[in-house]
Amino acid sequence: MDTGTVAKHKAKQASNDVKPWIRGLARMGYAAKGVVYLIIGILALQAAFGPGGKTTDSKGAFATIAGKPFGEALLWVLIVGLIGYSVWKGLQGIKDPDHYGNDTKGILIRIGFVGAGIIHLFLAYNAVSIITRAGSSSSGSKQSMSAKLLGQPFGQWIIGFLGLCLIGFGIYQVIRGYKKSFMKQLKQYEMHDQEEWWGKRAGQIGLAARGVVFTMMGVFFIQTAITANPDKTKGLDGALSELAQQPYGAILLGLVAIGFIAYGIFMFVKGKNRRMQIS
């Protein structure tokens, strides 16, 4: 794109960009999310093809970081980033900068953004709990949550609904990756050709891997709802472990691990190039 066109795009953006401190926190958030997925992917890849790895989730990634030199300091940086990401997701849901609109589909997507913001606040809390040594195992906490829900009126229906939501989200991720619609959110006119190419491929591979795992998690939730057995509930770490136990499990786990690494890289690209405007 020529220099004049780029200048026009920048001038148009300047009038409705989010405040610099929000933009900075959001970019930190994308980077923090990228670090978490890189660690989960690397550990899963080691578990698939070599010693020293494990299937884990965000809490396991936080624990891994905390065990390294200066790990707790890095965790505090990630906590700030995750809080910033939560603020940005909340703005996406309330201010609708991507113009999803107020129809049924748009409202559902925007509610999903707010939900993602809440989830990442909990991730930040989990990171704090690791630092304060108050963390518990993720799988156990999910099964405990399922057991509590099963003891409530309509608890099985609620868990089943959550399972359907996870499956729907997983399918949505795969479709986004296939259609490359995620690229519309990036300032492609400011990206170098190689950066755009690698960002596009990393996004496609990463979203496909996330879609597969979230769909699996949804199936586990539905199994919990049908059997009323909380042990059927599995989070991210359980889904990866289940993959490893299938025929050709090492290959399957390795492919998903590569996908998670790709998604981590994509988060860095997205953090650098995401459009952040409130019109």
Side-chain angles (χ1 to χ4, degrees), residues 107-125:
I107 291 295
L108 288 174
I109 291 173
R110 291 168 65 184
I111 290 173
F113 288 144
V114 175
I118 294 171
I119 288 171
H120 282 83
L121 278 179
F122 276 108
L123 291 183
Y125 170 79

Side-chain angles (χ1 to χ4, degrees), residues 102-141:
N102 295 316
D103 59 8
T104 302
K105 179 181 177 182
I107 291 295
L108 288 174
I109 291 173
R110 291 168 65 184
I111 290 173
F113 288 144
V114 175
I118 294 171
I119 288 171
H120 282 83
L121 278 179
F122 276 108
L123 291 183
Y125 170 79
N126 284 340
V128 172
S129 73
I130 293 295
I131 294 175
T132 59
R133 303 294 187 267
S136 59
S137 75
S138 175
S139 295
S141 64

Side-chain angles (χ1 to χ4, degrees), residues 193-231:
D193 289 342
Q194 285 192 341
E195 183 183 28
E196 183 177 353
W197 191 90
W198 281 107
K200 186 182 298 182
R201 297 299 174 269
Q204 285 184 289
I205 296 169
L207 286 168
R210 284 227 312 167
V212 168
V213 173
F214 274 92
T215 300
M216 288 181 64
M217 289 164 57
V219 170
F220 294 138
F221 270 69
I222 289 175
Q223 287 179 345
T224 298
I226 292 173
T227 63
N229 180 1
D231 291 338

Side-chain angles (χ1 to χ4, degrees), residues 20-36:
W21 68 270
I22 295 176
R23 184 168 61 249
L25 281 176
R27 297 203 191 288
M28 280 183 65
Y30 282 113
K33 191 174 178 182
V35 169
V36 172

Side-chain angles (χ1 to χ4, degrees), residues 31-278:
K33 191 174 178 182
V35 169
V36 172
Y37 269 89
L38 281 173
I39 292 173
I40 293 173
I42 290 169
L43 290 174
L45 193 64
Q46 290 176 333
F49 299 117
K54 60 181 178 179
T55 55
T56 190
D57 58 4
S58 57
K59 184 170 283 190
F62 295 146
T64 299
I65 293 171
K68 303 298 181 183
F70 307 105
E72 290 191 4
L74 177 56
L75 269 187
W76 282 116
V77 174
L78 293 181
I79 288 164
V80 174
L82 290 170
I83 292 172
Y85 187 81
S86 298
V87 172
W88 169 241
K89 299 310 283 187
L91 284 173
Q92 279 188 281
I94 297 168
K95 295 292 188 178
D96 193 23
D98 297 312
H99 308 293
Y100 285 104
N102 295 316
D103 59 8
T104 302
K105 179 181 177 182
I107 291 295
L108 288 174
I109 291 173
R110 291 168 65 184
I111 290 173
F113 288 144
V114 175
I118 294 171
I119 288 171
H120 282 83
L121 278 179
F122 276 108
L123 291 183
Y125 170 79
N126 284 340
V128 172
S129 73
I130 293 295
I131 294 175
T132 59
R133 303 294 187 267
S136 59
S137 75
S138 175
S139 295
S141 64
K142 286 183 175 61
Q143 290 165 4
S144 175
M145 178 196 72
S146 296
K148 290 178 181 177
L149 276 175
L150 287 171
Q152 304 300 316
F154 306 107
Q156 286 177 259
W157 289 98
I158 294 172
I159 291 173
F161 175 72
L162 291 174
L164 289 175
C165 289
L166 285 169
I167 291 172
F169 179 74
I171 293 171
Y172 173 67
Q173 294 285 282
V174 173
I175 292 173
R176 281 188 70 212
Y178 176 75
K179 291 185 174 181
K180 300 186 285 287
S181 59
F182 56 88
M183 293 298 293
K184 296 177 183 177
Q185 300 174 339
L186 305 183
K187 298 181 287 186
Q188 298 179 62
Y189 50 86
E190 293 185 6
M191 298 172 68
H192 299 297
D193 289 342
Q194 285 192 341
E195 183 183 28
E196 183 177 353
W197 191 90
W198 281 107
K200 186 182 298 182
R201 297 299 174 269
Q204 285 184 289
I205 296 169
L207 286 168
R210 284 227 312 167
V212 168
V213 173
F214 274 92
T215 300
M216 288 181 64
M217 289 164 57
V219 170
F220 294 138
F221 270 69
I222 289 175
Q223 287 179 345
T224 298
I226 292 173
T227 63
N229 180 1
D231 291 338
K232 296 287 185 181
T233 305
K234 297 182 188 294
L236 176 58
D237 52 347
L240 293 175
S241 179
E242 191 72 20
L243 266 180
Q245 295 172 27
Q246 303 305 308
Y248 306 104
I251 295 174
L252 293 174
L253 180 60
L255 288 173
V256 169
I258 291 170
F260 275 27
I261 293 171
Y263 188 78
I265 294 170
F266 174 64
M267 284 294 99
F268 285 101
V269 175
K270 191 172 183 177
K272 176 177 177 288
N273 299 287
R274 179 66 159 89
R275 288 187 287 106
M276 297 182 187
Q277 299 165 296
I278 305 296

